[in-house]
Amino acid sequence: MMRIETERLFLREMNMDDYDALYAVLADRDIMQHYPYTFDEMRVRDWIERNMKRYEENGFGLWAVCIKESGEMIGDCGLTLQNIDGEMLPEIGYHIRKDCQRKGYAKEAASAALKWAFENTDYPSFYSYCKYTNEPSYKTAEAIGMHFEKEYPDEANKITHVSVIHRAEK
């Protein structure tokens, strides 16, 4: 079982026992306002199953973000392969429960996931992408060392904002 520890958090593989905690994040309209849709029960279950499959196939995926002190799951963060402007690229993604935002948890988890990605994969670059209006998301990407790469028109987001960090910059 994969486990990454930071000062206040640990990241671990998620499983179906995480359904309620993840539903509180992905079904929240405020958190998902920049996403093409808010998740329902089926989409949350599919999200967990898809990540469990990614762990088997790729050795990585989105992991459960948990507070070290209590073990409580407050979101997800990790590495996935995503279609970014027509290319399958390694992406650092994150979602943090509303009451836990603005406390540095997304930055702390994303920084740990990026460090893991640099140490455990050979990808030359890592990306984060989001709807162009999702300033908190791309500010988190910048906070872990990424910089603006481009924006492109996209059916789901209207315009997608892409941030990148290259291995040579690390």
Side-chain angles (χ1 to χ4, degrees):
M1 265 313 209
M2 194 286 314
R3 183 177 169 115
I4 301 170
E5 291 201 24
T6 69
E7 183 181 336
R8 301 178 295 164
L9 305 171
F10 65 89
L11 284 64
R12 60 161 174 78
E13 293 180 2
M14 67 175 79
N15 59 61
M16 279 303 167
D17 291 341
D18 298 313
Y19 171 82
D20 290 335
L22 194 58
Y23 185 87
V25 177
L26 299 178
D28 185 304
R29 289 184 193 278
D30 290 337
I31 294 171
M32 302 307 286
Q33 67 181 306
H34 301 286
Y35 209 77
Y37 50 83
T38 301
F39 282 56
D40 59 16
E41 290 182 23
M42 187 180 76
R43 282 186 166 138
V44 174
R45 291 187 196 290
D46 180 57
W47 188 264
I48 295 170
E49 287 174 5
R50 208 165 48 238
N51 281 292
M52 290 169 55
K53 189 175 179 182
R54 286 174 175 147
Y55 306 147
E56 289 178 27
E57 293 176 357
N58 302 325
F60 54 80
L62 290 173
W63 299 303
V65 175
C66 304
I67 295 179
K68 201 185 271 189
E69 192 174 279
S70 65
E72 177 186 17
M73 181 186 181
I74 61 166
D76 64 7
C77 179
L79 177 66
T80 58
L81 296 175
Q82 296 293 328
N83 183 340
I84 300 175
D85 202 14
E87 270 187 277
M88 292 305 286
L89 298 170
E91 195 240 358
I92 302 292
Y94 32 84
H95 304 94
I96 300 294
R97 197 174 68 210
K98 188 173 15 183
D99 65 318
C100 294
Q101 292 179 357
R102 299 185 183 273
K103 297 179 180 180
Y105 291 136
K107 176 185 175 186
E108 190 172 331
S111 182
L114 181 62
K115 182 178 186 288
W116 183 94
F118 273 118
E119 292 173 355
N120 293 281
T121 73
D122 294 327
Y123 295 111
S125 303
F126 297 95
Y127 300 82
S128 276
Y129 77 112
C130 60
K131 188 172 185 172
Y132 73 103
T133 55
N134 192 349
E135 186 176 346
S137 185
Y138 63 76
K139 290 292 186 187
T140 297
E142 290 171 5
I144 65 167
M146 293 185 170
H147 56 83
F148 175 76
E149 168 86 351
K150 64 181 173 179
E151 288 185 338
Y152 65 91
D154 175 13
E155 189 176 303
N157 290 327
K158 293 186 183 170
I159 299 172
T160 293
H161 180 100
V162 180
S163 301
V164 65
I165 187 168
H166 303 289
R167 191 172 288 275
E169 299 169 346
K170 186 73 173 127

